[in-house]
Amino acid sequence: MRRDSEEPSGNPLRDPQDRRLPRIAGPCGLVIFGVTGDLSRKKLMPAVYDLANRGLLPPGFALVGFARRDWADQDFAQVVHESVKEHARTPFREETWKQLAEGFRFVQGDFDDDVAFDTLRKTIAELDVARGTSGNHAFYLSVPPKFFPNVVQQLKEHGLADSQGGAWRRVVIEKPFGHDLASAQELNRIVDEVFPTGSVFRIDHYLGKETVQNILALRFANQLFEPIWNANYVDHVQITMAEDVGIGGRAGYYDGIGAARDVIQNHLLQLLALTAMEEPVSFEAHALRTEKQKILSAVTLPDDLDLHSARGRYGAGWQGGIHVPGYLQEEGITRTSTTETFAALRVDVETRRWAGVPFYLRTGKRLGRRVTEIAVMFKRAPHLPFTSTATEELGANALVVRVQPDEGVTVRFGSKVPGTAMEVRDVTMDFAYGESFTESSPEAYERLILDVLLGDPPLFPRHEEVELSWQILDPVIEHWETLGAPETYAAGTWGPPSADEMLARDGRTWRRP
Ligand code: BG6
């Protein structure tokens, strides 16, 4: 097993001089496996274009698509064109497109097709000459997880993983990284045998979101919040990732995976780690990941999972005035499926800072609206020098990081209602990205693809984090598997009654964002 340093030098987050310099990738190319998939069309190809449009890719950048379709380079270019027109964030510019499209190549083949991998090697060599990509290539595995080992092995056997003469080779792996601890460990072993640690980029696209990175700025660039960010002041934390959409055309991926594996194992536990971790000594990969890892190792589950977890599956219902089918009626789902589309879980973080402060995580599809937020709910003031009627409508103070949509931060506190009597009611103070900043936020995948090309790892979870997250979740999933079908909730509502009951038992309620 080879081990490279995890820390490429010159991290622009650290060096103040670097901050004014644009971060532009050097000569390189990107190979996408699974280029015909949804993720590639909706996110990856538009992100590549947006990066090019922002001048952050080298002029000779190359994009290679690898898939089974019988396409020529022009067919591939046409598909990228359509995806860019439909999904890119920045305006379509002919000059950008023309320059980028000259570096498009398509390689047709299966993942076990040796001839195709040989062709890929030749294509890359041709690009090194024609586009000056200098041997620097990243391989993006946007494929079903069962193919990860296969592709990684093929890259090794066809000499594609080896870098020569100062060039680099990197591998980017989409989630889900395994489906439990054992499979994640096995996958890590396979990947580690082929690529050095510093060349493996595991994607959790939530870490690429501006609002998620802002958790670090909010906590560690200000004096205001950190003194009260602990068990002395915080009653509990609610982390919600709610979607109004159903599974769309993703039955093949989603069934058998479910909400907990799809979202809690990665996005929500990463949000928890950023919310709960201690201040890292720097924002370099090693320091940041070490603090996240410490928190994940301190996460414990309640003894009785029946009381402190909930799962559900959407039934038919109304959403945005449209009648939508239930999960079991979705195309490609069998009637006997027991996959959950809603999951909620209480965890505790056994550290001095968080002792006694529950973290409630919930996620679901076909919920009331699309919203992701982290709500830090504070304890009530220990004493209220008012008449009891004056504070009847006063809730607890809250600080809410609005991850999406409507990105920003809200602080909720009590304020006097204008009038002759002392009456206190909740009000909110808001920071909204749209009002404070003129530039729109880059898409998560823009940031993450750029970081891969720059070799900048802080925003990619390390394998220990992935394994710890499975270690947290495995007992919950195993427990649920003994219970049969999940409870049904109507589409457009906020999940099954058991989720509300779970919080009510602790004397709390979920926020209705
Ligand atoms: C993905 C999940 O990781 O995140 C999807 O696999 C989910 O099921 C998606 O829809 C949501 O991402 P976002 O960025 O729209 O919140």
Side-chain angles (χ1 to χ4, degrees):
M1 180 181 5
R2 290 179 292 156
R3 291 267 168 205
D4 270 2
S5 150
E6 212 182 10
E7 310 298 339
S9 57
N11 183 333
L13 284 169
R14 193 188 56 170
D15 186 345
Q17 282 175 342
D18 283 353
R19 263 189 273 138
R20 273 164 289 138
L21 295 175
R23 302 165 75 231
I24 300 176
C28 64
L30 178 68
V31 179
I32 302 181
F33 291 94
V35 79
T36 52
D38 239 31
L39 180 75
S40 170
R41 275 188 309 108
K42 291 189 181 150
K43 299 287 181 189
L44 307 183
M45 301 195 283
V48 166
Y49 168 82
D50 286 325
L51 286 172
N53 218 7
R54 292 163 65 205
L56 300 175
L57 295 185
F61 182 77
L63 178 68
V64 182
F66 186 110
R68 257 184 313 215
R69 303 278 165 93
D70 187 12
W71 283 348
D73 291 347
Q74 298 87 306
D75 302 315
F76 174 51
Q78 184 55 33
V79 170
V80 186
H81 190 264
E82 281 159 22
S83 112
V84 166
K85 282 273 179 151
E86 199 175 340
H87 300 288
R89 183 178 63 86
T90 61
F92 190 81
R93 296 213 331 246
E94 204 53 51
E95 319 88 86
T96 306
W97 173 255
K98 266 188 78 185
Q99 187 172 25
L100 191 63
E102 279 167 22
F104 291 169
R105 304 286 186 276
F106 184 76
V107 176
Q108 191 224 343
D110 271 321
F111 300 137
D112 48 17
D113 179 349
D114 288 327
V115 178
F117 278 83
D118 266 341
T119 310
L120 179 60
R121 200 188 50 240
K122 288 180 196 141
T123 305
I124 282 176
E126 177 263 316
L127 285 165
D128 286 345
V129 176
R131 301 284 287 175
T133 42
S134 307
N136 300 323
H137 297 273
F139 302 100
Y140 198 124
L141 274 55
S142 175
V143 299
K146 61 173 185 229
F147 296 118
F148 291 164
N150 214 347
V151 178
V152 168
Q153 212 50 42
Q154 287 283 44
L155 291 174
K156 178 183 169 190
E157 275 162 26
H158 293 269
L160 286 154
D162 294 326
S163 41
Q164 273 150 17
W168 53 255
R169 295 291 159 101
R170 296 179 186 138
V171 67
V172 188
I173 305 187
E174 258 300 332
K175 59 161 271 263
F177 203 81
H179 59 270
D180 57 12
L181 177 60
S183 56
Q185 284 171 328
E186 173 63 5
L187 186 55
N188 277 324
R189 191 189 58 73
I190 293 169
V191 175
D192 264 3
E193 269 175 14
V194 178
F195 286 94
T197 305
S199 304
V200 182
F201 292 75
R202 293 174 191 79
I203 293 266
D204 182 320
H205 79 280
Y206 264 60
L207 297 178
K209 291 183 191 271
E210 285 288 331
T211 39
V212 171
Q213 292 158 44
N214 191 39
I215 300 168
L216 300 177
L218 182 87
R219 293 192 54 201
F220 303 125
N222 297 299
Q223 175 71 337
L224 193 56
F225 306 114
E226 207 52 22
I228 54 169
W229 208 263
N230 57 55
N232 295 333
Y233 298 93
V234 176
D235 177 72
H236 70 282
V237 178
Q238 297 188 12
I239 304 182
T240 298
M241 194 280 225
E243 295 183 279
D244 51 5
V245 293
I247 54 157
R250 294 168 77 218
Y253 158 76
Y254 198 86
D255 203 42
I257 294 273
R261 285 190 176 102
D262 186 39
V263 172
I264 295 187
Q265 189 272 340
N266 36 81
H267 306 326
L268 296 198
L269 285 174
Q270 285 290 323
L271 293 182
L272 178 146
L274 293 172
T275 306
M277 71 182 198
E278 296 303 315
E279 182 176 292
V281 290
S282 75
F283 288 130
E284 289 200 341
H286 179 70
L288 185 64
R289 290 156 153 184
T290 300
E291 293 306 333
K292 285 195 288 165
Q293 192 178 326
K294 271 160 64 183
I295 282 296
L296 293 171
S297 10
V299 168
T300 59
L301 292 173
D303 290 337
D304 194 337
L305 286 170
D306 279 330
L307 302 182
H308 299 289
S309 72
R311 68 195 181 121
R313 171 171 75 199
Y314 61 83
W318 290 88
Q319 208 142 35
I322 297 169
H323 192 259
V324 293
Y327 182 73
L328 293 185
Q329 287 82 53
E330 298 276 16
E331 210 182 310
I333 302 294
T334 53
R335 289 296 160 96
T336 50
S337 165
T338 56
T339 301
E340 84 283 352
T341 61
F342 176 98
L345 177 66
R346 170 191 165 142
V347 297
D348 291 85
V349 178
E350 304 289 347
T351 62
R352 173 178 282 241
R353 187 195 276 262
W354 295 114
V357 179
F359 282 68
Y360 298 105
L361 314 177
R362 73 174 156 166
T363 182
K365 295 205 182 274
R366 287 264 184 249
L367 297 184
R369 57 178 282 234
R370 173 176 182 252
V371 61
T372 300
E373 62 165 42
I374 301 160
V376 180
M377 309 298 291
F378 290 90
K379 293 182 173 167
R380 292 197 169 249
H383 172 68
L384 292 171
F386 304 93
T387 60
S388 55
T389 51
T391 52
E392 244 169 14
E393 291 186 49
L394 181 65
N397 295 159
L399 185 144
V400 184
V401 176
R402 304 194 310 271
V403 174
Q404 65 186 27
D406 188 22
E407 292 82 358
V409 179
T410 300
V411 179
R412 186 176 78 187
F413 56 98
S415 175
K416 182 180 176 306
V417 180
T420 52
M422 176 57 86
E423 193 192 334
V424 187
R425 208 183 282 165
D426 287 331
V427 294
T428 55
M429 209 156 66
D430 263 352
F431 147 61
Y433 274 77
E435 284 167 22
S436 300
F437 301 113
T438 48
E439 323 87 275
S440 68
S441 296
E443 276 282 325
Y445 280 99
E446 281 172 70
R447 172 65 196 260
L448 295 177
I449 291 174
L450 181 63
D451 282 6
V452 168
L453 302 179
L454 289 166
D456 208 6
L459 298 181
F460 300 85
R462 186 158 64 183
H463 80 89
E464 289 91 339
E465 293 171 63
V466 174
E467 290 180 11
L468 281 166
S469 302
W470 282 120
Q471 202 170 305
I472 295 167
L473 208 61
D474 275 1
V476 182
I477 295 175
E478 279 163 23
H479 175 68
W480 287 350
E481 276 168 359
T482 63
L483 302 179
E487 199 181 348
T488 302
Y489 59 95
T493 64
W494 282 94
S498 55
D500 293 325
E501 287 154 18
M502 164 189 151
L503 252 68
R505 272 183 213 108
D506 290 356
R508 301 183 175 106
T509 51
W510 289 108
R511 282 169 46 80
R512 288 281 177 266

